[in-house]
Amino acid sequence: MVKWKDKKEFWISGGKLADPAAGKIRSGSVLVQKGLITEIQWQKKVETDLPVLDVEGRLLAPGFIDIHTHLREPGDEDKETIASGTAAAMAGGYTSILCMANTDPVVDDPSVVEYIIRRAEAAGNCRVYVTGAVTKGIKGDHISEFFHLKKAGIVALSDDGKYIDNSRVMRTALEYAGMLGLPVIAHCEDTYLTDESQMNESYVSTRLGLKGAHTASEEIAVARDIRLAELTGAHLHIAHVSAAGSLGLIKAAKEKGIRVTAEASPHHLTLDESMLETYDRNLKVNPPLRGSADISALRSALKDGTIDCIATDHAPHTDIDKQVEFDFAPPGMTGLETAFAQLHTELVITGELELIDLIRMMTTGPADVIGLPGGRLQEGEPADLVLIDPGEEWVYKKEIIRSKACNSPLVGKKFTGRVQGVFLEGRWRSAVS
Ligand SMILES: [Zn+2]
């Protein structure tokens, strides 16, 4: 495959094409010229004198887009760097990611935005879009200079990891963000109710002796933010929804015409709170893993349009960070390298979700939420594509991890369906070698 790296003009042919906008997977061929998709033919083989990359048995889709990645740089380069995080993204089939603002320094100043964009360009692994902090220092008190951040290149605002407790600050933020056309991504957990919690509040938390956070902590936060989105008319995007009650609120808001969108993470869709019986610190996340009723509600919400997209919340931590008592371990798990395989194995192979719907949730879905380019199979667009072998069985081993961090509860797990690599503007990057 390596020889394809330098071909400037070639057909990708012989396999299936996933067209998420049309909702179809069918035989087809794509012509790539100078980094762009210049022709799509809906037939398996093409008559051509140009070089042909034969992808028999495999699936070509628009490159995945993750709108919730923590790259940790600047500030926490021991956990992840822009280079290692984007390498992990590429290995997971992502050609675009949106990085979060809770770095050190926080992305509340144009110089930090420029720094991230420059470093991402130097790494050259995938496109990196930047989120600006809603409040200065992510302290929740005073809003950042949205206009200057937007001029520097941010495409969304978020204090992710922290809920903005002060309703007046959130209202002001939504008013200004709305004027600038920037979505506000909210981490919805009422901090007074989640204080010192380690997992979901339930029978399991009582049995394990861990302090729990009730789903009400999320639902209350979602309800307030939806009300403020209605009041201001701004676009509110709710990150990593985990509770069935939140889904009801989001669904009702959408029916009312309020500008609210929502994402679900691969871990909230597939991992159960009972897994915490092992006290695996890599299962500690915010919001916490929930019980089976919430998980099945979340899965239904993928299908009825309440959830708009899948986002990883890739949150790298070092082994040392996590090798402490459960109560002191920082929340978060990595996700970029396993998202597709995990959801394909747990939801598509089992017949619960159509493959094209999973792909849509990882391409056009996230692109539409933030208003990013890409996510579509279209002539004239950059050739940002992912090549998948849907039948390949593989094990997610520590040795193959491209992220600097290994804090995933999925290490050692066997998956069906593997990302083989991506084309970024037509340049091939293998994910498996
Ligand atoms: Zn969050």
Side-chain angles (χ1 to χ4, degrees):
M1 295 284 263
V2 174
K3 62 185 180 202
W4 290 97
K5 208 169 172 174
D6 307 315
K7 300 269 185 208
K8 294 224 176 345
E9 218 176 351
F10 56 95
W11 279 92
I12 310 170
S13 186
K16 300 262 190 202
L17 296 184
D19 183 354
K24 285 186 181 142
I25 293 177
R26 47 199 162 140
S27 296
S29 306
V30 169
L31 175 60
V32 176
Q33 289 176 307
K34 292 187 179 147
L36 298 176
I37 298 171
T38 52
E39 196 179 335
I40 300 168
Q41 285 193 17
W42 294 106
Q43 56 198 47
K44 199 169 173 186
K45 299 278 179 197
V46 282
E47 298 277 323
T48 177
D49 296 330
L50 293 173
V52 176
L53 172 61
D54 186 4
V55 293
E56 173 93 51
R58 280 160 291 169
L59 179 70
L60 192 70
F64 299 147
I65 299 171
D66 187 39
I67 60 166
H68 199 136
T69 306
H70 295 274
L71 286 176
R72 304 297 191 209
E73 186 182 350
D76 285 305
E77 289 85 351
D78 54 334
K79 295 175 192 270
E80 193 79 286
T81 63
I82 290 168
S84 66
T86 54
M90 185 274 289
Y94 292 92
T95 50
S96 295
I97 58 171
L98 175 62
C99 64
M100 287 294 126
N102 60 344
T103 47
D104 184 14
V106 161
V107 190
D108 59 4
D109 187 272
S111 62
V112 187
V113 182
E114 285 154 17
Y115 173 84
I116 293 170
I117 292 172
R118 254 205 329 273
R119 297 282 288 169
E121 278 170 3
N125 291 320
C126 71
R127 295 173 204 277
V128 175
Y129 297 97
V130 182
T131 308
V134 177
T135 64
K136 285 183 186 149
I138 310 197
K139 290 200 170 85
D141 304 323
H142 306 284
I143 64 168
S144 318
E145 305 268 5
F146 296 174
F147 177 76
H148 294 294
L149 289 172
K150 188 180 175 181
K151 244 173 100 183
I154 64 155
V155 297
L157 290 158
S158 184
D159 273 7
D160 181 66
K162 280 200 181 159
Y163 183 60
I164 297 164
D165 289 319
N166 186 324
S167 305
R168 182 183 49 78
V169 172
M170 186 59 170
R171 178 185 176 175
T172 310
L174 284 163
E175 278 167 351
Y176 279 88
M179 281 188 255
L180 294 168
L182 292 167
V184 175
I185 303 172
H187 176 119
C188 288
E189 281 191 297
D190 182 310
T191 40
Y192 295 101
L193 289 172
T194 56
D195 190 33
E196 290 179 18
S197 65
Q198 303 297 321
M199 64 172 296
N200 182 42
E201 181 180 315
S202 68
Y203 170 73
V204 185
S205 64
T206 308
R207 198 154 48 81
L208 298 182
L210 293 172
K211 192 168 180 220
H214 197 274
T215 48
S217 57
E218 181 180 300
E219 292 149 11
I220 288 166
V222 167
R224 184 206 72 175
D225 283 357
I226 286 175
R227 186 67 186 89
L228 291 176
E230 184 182 23
L231 179 66
T232 58
H235 176 191
L236 170 74
H237 176 70
I238 299 169
H240 41 53
V241 177
S242 72
S246 308
L247 295 165
L249 293 163
I250 294 162
K251 194 170 183 207
K254 285 186 168 188
E255 280 162 7
K256 229 173 150 186
I258 301 168
R259 288 181 71 198
V260 57
T261 51
E263 74 192 33
S265 76
H267 50 270
H268 289 117
L269 283 160
T270 57
L271 308 177
D272 193 283
E273 60 173 351
S274 63
M275 292 171 164
L276 280 152
E277 285 179 9
T278 59
Y279 292 93
D280 179 354
R281 291 148 187 79
N282 294 330
L283 290 162
K284 181 174 168 181
V285 279
N286 286 341
L289 301 178
R290 306 288 187 187
S292 55
D294 289 306
I295 294 172
S296 61
L298 204 54
R299 290 179 177 193
S300 302
L302 280 184
K303 287 174 258 181
D304 72 11
T306 307
I307 293 292
D308 298 88
C309 66
I310 307 275
T312 66
D313 195 6
H314 177 84
H317 290 290
T318 64
D319 288 347
I320 293 166
D321 293 334
K322 286 279 191 182
Q323 281 167 5
V324 290
E325 292 91 324
F326 198 94
D327 286 14
F328 299 109
M333 63 174 82
T334 57
L336 287 169
E337 293 171 75
T338 49
F340 173 78
Q342 183 187 7
L343 294 168
H344 184 257
T345 305
E346 302 273 346
L347 299 181
V348 178
I349 298 282
T350 55
E352 210 173 318
L353 189 71
E354 294 289 333
L355 177 55
I356 191 64
D357 290 327
L358 172 59
I359 289 172
R360 183 172 47 80
M361 286 290 190
M362 297 177 75
T363 53
T364 47
D368 289 349
V369 164
I370 305 294
L372 297 177
R376 282 171 170 78
L377 210 56
Q378 221 163 286
E379 290 171 5
E381 290 292 308
D384 286 2
L385 302 159
V386 56
L387 187 67
I388 298 160
D389 184 341
E392 185 178 337
E393 295 190 337
W394 63 290
V395 178
Y396 179 56
K397 290 192 195 129
K398 220 168 183 172
E399 304 84 79
I400 60 169
I401 295 176
R402 307 257 177 124
S403 167
K404 219 170 167 180
C406 303
N407 57 305
S408 163
L410 303 174
V411 173
K413 192 162 161 60
K414 191 176 167 188
F415 295 118
T416 304
R418 187 171 195 183
V419 168
Q420 295 204 317
V422 298
F423 293 92
L424 184 67
E425 273 180 34
R427 280 171 298 135
W428 171 251
R429 306 293 178 89
S430 176
V432 293
S433 56

